[in-house]
Amino acid sequence: MKLLSFSATTAAFLLQVQTMYAMVTSRSTRVTGSVISTLAEVALKLRLSKNSGVKVLVKAEPTELLTGRVPYVKVVGRRWASPTGRLTCQKIEATVSDCSLDFASVVSRRKLVLTDPAKGTAMVALNTEDFGSFLTHPFLKPPKVDDGEQFLFSKENVSINGDSSEIIFYGSYAGNDWTCTLSKGPESSKALIKATPVNLSEDREETLKQVDASLRLTNLLTEYFNDLVFELDGTFLTFENLLITSKGGTPSILFALAITVRKFPSPGLDF
């Protein structure tokens, strides 16, 4: 009789554990399939002034989510604009692996909080207007030349040549205007920026100075762009590669980026 009583008690306990686990995993499944994706989409839309689409795909098993681990997150968007309208893109596709969330915060507060930095990759498509706005964005610090003076980018007159796979933009330094030609360098994953004066001086000495400055600026801007890290309130975007395409009839720039998210940008951030 004691043996039967113990078995019945054990069975009842195991049934209770299984029921609780089923409830938790069921809740986790709902969080995985709907809550996290919805929270992420709402959070992104709150940080944008315009968009033609925001889609977040989250993949995680219930047992993984219970520990806060999300193995795969994909974000796809079209025609995004920041609150100030000074940071825009035509298309973005970002993928993050092994994202760690505070699961208690997701369940109780309906808020996404990272417990560890999330790393991944992104592909961003820009048109001429997008690229000009990016170059002159307040969060992007202009490069400094060896004499301490800054090279100031211009957002005007940016052009993309799909045939030669080049981006033409302009800047100013030392009282002169400069033409910058961005293309892929000899190494396929590197960018090359050639700087030449818009107006070549007729004076021999001045011309020699311009040639010297041109060489220095070419090296400076090429290094600056390849080492570029753009920070957006805890999100870091690092240049990896570029592609210039004429698909869709209008030339555009595709930037491949490495991304590290330490925290999600604040909703009230003006960027």
Side-chain angles (χ1 to χ4, degrees):
M1 292 296 293
K2 288 184 179 180
L3 180 61
L4 289 175
S5 176
F6 175 78
S7 298
T9 302
T10 301
F13 175 74
L14 290 175
L15 180 62
Q16 184 179 13
V17 169
Q18 289 176 341
T19 302
M20 290 176 63
Y21 180 78
M23 291 174 62
V24 172
T25 53
S26 175
R27 189 178 189 184
S28 300
T29 302
R30 291 198 300 272
V31 170
T32 301
S34 60
V35 176
I36 290 181
S37 294
T38 301
L39 286 175
E41 289 172 4
V42 170
L44 285 169
K45 289 177 181 178
L46 285 174
R47 290 157 176 79
L48 300 171
S49 62
K50 295 179 182 179
N51 78 84
S52 294
V54 177
K55 184 66 178 178
V56 179
L57 174 65
V58 176
K59 291 183 181 180
E61 295 295 328
T63 51
E64 293 173 320
L65 194 58
L66 285 172
T67 64
R69 180 171 176 264
V70 181
Y72 180 85
V73 179
K74 184 177 182 178
V75 178
V76 179
R78 296 182 65 85
R79 295 185 177 87
W80 283 10
S82 67
T84 64
R86 299 185 67 174
L87 197 61
T88 57
C89 71
Q90 297 306 299
K91 187 175 181 181
I92 182 170
E93 186 172 305
T95 303
V96 173
S97 301
D98 290 328
C99 180
S100 297
L101 294 173
D102 182 346
F103 181 67
S105 179
V106 174
V107 174
S108 62
R109 300 164 56 199
R110 294 297 187 266
K111 185 175 181 180
L112 301 178
V113 178
L114 290 170
T115 57
D116 292 302
K119 296 184 177 182
T121 58
M123 185 69 76
V124 182
L126 307 180
N127 61 20
T128 55
E129 200 172 298
D130 301 327
F131 187 64
S133 296
F134 169 72
L135 288 175
T136 55
H137 194 277
F139 287 9
L140 186 67
K141 295 180 180 179
K144 281 189 177 182
V145 190
D146 49 19
D147 59 7
E149 187 174 343
Q150 290 182 331
F151 183 93
L152 299 177
F153 296 116
S154 171
K155 66 181 295 183
E156 306 298 333
N157 301 316
V158 176
S159 62
I160 303 173
N161 190 324
D163 295 329
S164 62
S165 296
E166 294 177 334
I167 308 159
I168 309 297
F169 59 99
Y170 299 88
S172 60
Y173 162 70
N176 292 314
D177 294 326
W178 296 84
T179 301
C180 302
T181 304
L182 169 62
S183 61
K184 295 191 70 168
E187 296 180 44
S188 59
S189 63
K190 295 294 183 180
L192 174 64
I193 297 180
K194 295 179 180 179
T196 56
V198 173
N199 298 306
L200 193 63
S201 175
E202 294 180 359
D203 181 80
R204 184 175 181 277
E205 287 191 13
E206 285 299 317
T207 300
L208 291 175
K209 289 180 181 179
Q210 287 182 326
V211 170
D212 177 68
S214 177
L215 293 173
R216 288 188 292 119
L217 289 176
T218 293
N219 290 331
L220 170 73
L221 295 176
T222 296
E223 183 178 346
Y224 171 83
F225 205 89
N226 284 303
D227 295 339
L228 184 63
V229 179
F230 184 77
E231 181 186 356
L232 189 62
D233 194 29
T235 296
F236 300 81
L237 307 174
T238 305
F239 173 79
E240 291 285 317
N241 209 334
L242 70 91
L243 176 67
I244 299 171
T245 176
S246 296
K247 286 184 178 180
T250 303
S252 61
I253 317 161
L254 297 178
F255 284 114
L257 307 170
I259 58 176
T260 300
V261 184
R262 298 187 183 278
K263 76 177 198 65
F264 298 111
S266 306
L269 181 68
D270 284 333
F271 64 95

